[in-house]
Amino acid sequence: MHPEAHTHPDPHPARNATGARALRIGIGGPVGSGKTALVAALCRTLAADLRLAVVTNDIYTTEDADFLLRNGVLPADRIRAVETGCCPHTAIRDDISANLDACEDLEADLGPLDLVLVESGGDNLTATFSKGLVDRQIFVVDVAGGDKVPRKGGPGVTTADLLVVNKTDLAPLVGADLSVMARDARARRGDLPTVFLSLVEDPAATPVADWVRGLTKE
Amino acid sequence: MSTTLLLLADGRFPAGGHAHSGGLEAAVTAGRVRDLDDLDAFLRGRLATVGLVSAAFAAAACAGGDIHTLEAGLDARTLSPALRKASRAQGRALLRAGRTLWTLPTAERELHHPVALGVVAAAAGLTPAEAALTAAYGTVTGPASAAVRLLGLDPYATHALVARLAPDCDAVAARAATVDDLPACSAPLLDIGAETHATWEVRLFAS
Ligand SMILES: Nc1nc2c(ncn2[C@@H]2O[C@H](COP(=O)(O)OP(=O)(O)O)[C@@H](O)[C@H]2O)c(=O)[nH]1
Ligand SMILES: [Mg+2]
């Protein structure tokens, strides 16, 4: 071995200006908050402008992928499912190898891509993506889980690059106060952005799609 | 070099192992493994077959054996296409991790897991005996930790079982590192289970 010649190659090189690899955005959040619905909306809205692909980590391997296929938002070859061995957070944080393989295989098979969305398996408020896997992360919570969720904090709510509070259409039905959620999110997140969304009322996920578009131009 | 050995054998080493059950998920669903006694038998069977073969190939690769010959040898010994795929997926993950930590003598991106383990162990400065031990230990601890997750087994009892298997693990590794001819033991139920598992709609583990 020649230690002097050893450069410790970075296993996941940073994105560079020449677009050597796609921008990777992680989408995390509790079960049922609307991650898959958001991925589908982003695909519908962005597919015309961006070359994109999706990696899903649902504990039931084919569930999320099937949803995307059924809704015709992406052809099957643009979706990869990763098995997570009962530990969805391990696959996106502690041992990201299967997700890295999936991202790299998509680009190897499909040619250059602009954007890969990585949906985590539904987990709790403590799950976040490794920076070795994604460039940015979105955390999705919903109002049906109660307006206390932002106050509870946790790494997802506190540190995600974008917090999405989804299902605002349900707020009156569950007695959730959106202004309380907005105030608590600000307190937890400082200057980091939070958007309120209802995918029922805005199936294009406009504010999230705009945020993603902004990133792809950076 | 013992700390390096511990590092490589650690279940938390990010080499993709957490998503593989070593055939346990198929065995659990088929009703063949339900409790700690079943797991004991499953692990002993696995160690004596797949464990010995993996350990011998890891030792041979670590000792500088020709990678392509070893790859062909493992292909011939791995009947199930699903298991060949699972082995290569784990080998790829291990090479990714190993390449980040040490200087590997090969640019190969994907190898069978035991071969990758031998290559990475050698690059880390470990001996063939240590590579064999890491392989034998992994064939036991992978399914053991999957059993805790799939069956909700008591983690203390499961670790006590692994501790009871430690002498067998040592013996398999020692034999693997000294055999002249690479062994070819097989476990047909693991092959069959892996093929069935690969067709399931719903599965929690990759293999
Ligand atoms: N009312 C309402 N339902 C939604 C909204 N977004 C998603 N859903 C529904 O919430 C359920 C769970 O969504 P899904 O995307 O599968 O959640 P995931 O587990 O986070 O991927 C589905 O039945 C969706 O149709 C929304 O904005 N409003
Ligand atoms: Mg989902």
Side-chain angles (χ1 to χ4, degrees), chain A residues 71-92:
Chain A
N71 286 269
V73 291
L74 273 192
D77 64 347
R78 296 197 165 249
I79 304 168
R80 290 290 147 94
V82 165
E83 288 95 349
T84 61
C86 301
C87 290
H89 55 267
T90 303
I92 60 162

Side-chain angles (χ1 to χ4, degrees), chain A residues 30-37 119 166-167 169-170 198-200:
Chain A
V31 181
S33 61
K35 297 178 297 298
T36 303
E119 181 191 339
N166 188 32
K167 307 194 192 178
D169 56 295
L170 299 181
S198 164
L199 286 166
V200 172

Side-chain angles (χ1 to χ4, degrees), chain A residues 1-2 6 8-9 11 59-62 66 83-87 90-91 94-97 100-101 104-105, chain B residues 13-19 89 92-93 96 99-103 109 123 149-150 201-206:
Chain A
M1 245 184 293
H2 308 284
H6 191 177
H8 290 281
I59 58 164
Y60 293 140
T61 316
T62 51
D66 282 352
E83 288 95 349
T84 61
C86 301
C87 290
T90 303
D94 311 87
D95 185 347
I96 56 180
S97 47
L100 286 173
D101 287 346
E104 290 171 7
D105 286 350
Chain B
F13 192 75
H18 74 97
R92 175 176 173 183
R96 179 196 293 280
R99 191 163 281 134
T100 316
L101 275 67
W102 300 291
T103 305
R109 223 166 54 103
R149 284 175 268 162
L150 283 172
E201 268 297 320
V202 168
R203 61 175 176 254
L204 303 173
F205 288 82

Side-chain angles (χ1 to χ4, degrees), chain A:
Chain A
M1 245 184 293
H2 308 284
E4 68 280 4
H6 191 177
T7 53
H8 290 281
D10 188 337
H12 23 67
R15 224 166 78 86
N16 64 23
T18 60
R21 71 160 173 80
L23 176 74
R24 292 183 194 147
I25 298 182
I27 300 186
V31 181
S33 61
K35 297 178 297 298
T36 303
L38 178 60
V39 167
L42 289 174
C43 290
R44 272 193 302 266
T45 310
L46 299 171
D49 310 333
L50 300 174
R51 296 167 296 183
L52 54 84
V54 172
V55 177
T56 75
N57 282 250
D58 206 281
I59 58 164
Y60 293 140
T61 316
T62 51
E63 198 124 302
D64 283 339
D66 282 352
F67 175 86
L68 296 173
L69 293 175
R70 260 201 321 277
N71 286 269
V73 291
L74 273 192
D77 64 347
R78 296 197 165 249
I79 304 168
R80 290 290 147 94
V82 165
E83 288 95 349
T84 61
C86 301
C87 290
H89 55 267
T90 303
I92 60 162
R93 187 186 59 205
D94 311 87
D95 185 347
I96 56 180
S97 47
N99 272 297
L100 286 173
D101 287 346
C103 290
E104 290 171 7
D105 286 350
L106 280 166
E107 290 192 86
D109 295 350
L110 300 169
L113 297 172
D114 301 308
L115 176 65
V116 177
L117 298 173
V118 184
E119 181 191 339
S120 78
D123 213 311
N124 57 33
L125 291 174
T126 66
T128 52
F129 285 85
S130 162
K131 292 186 172 67
L133 176 60
V134 299
D135 303 296
R136 293 284 192 283
Q137 49 193 307
I138 299 174
F139 201 72
V140 184
V141 298
D142 68 42
V143 305
D147 58 18
K148 284 188 291 298
V149 169
R151 188 156 9 121
K152 285 185 189 159
V157 165
T158 309
T159 66
D161 299 291
L162 180 69
L163 177 66
V164 174
V165 180
N166 188 32
K167 307 194 192 178
T168 53
D169 56 295
L170 299 181
L173 302 175
V174 297
D177 186 337
L178 297 181
S179 68
V180 167
M181 296 182 90
R183 187 197 64 206
D184 291 342
R186 232 178 354 261
R188 286 279 171 214
R189 295 174 49 74
D191 291 335
L192 290 168
T194 300
V195 298
F196 287 79
L197 182 70
S198 164
L199 286 166
V200 172
E201 291 164 5
D202 177 7
T206 312
V208 184
D210 288 347
W211 182 81
V212 172
R213 254 192 256 273
L215 291 176
T216 60
K217 295 198 180 104
E218 269 175 17

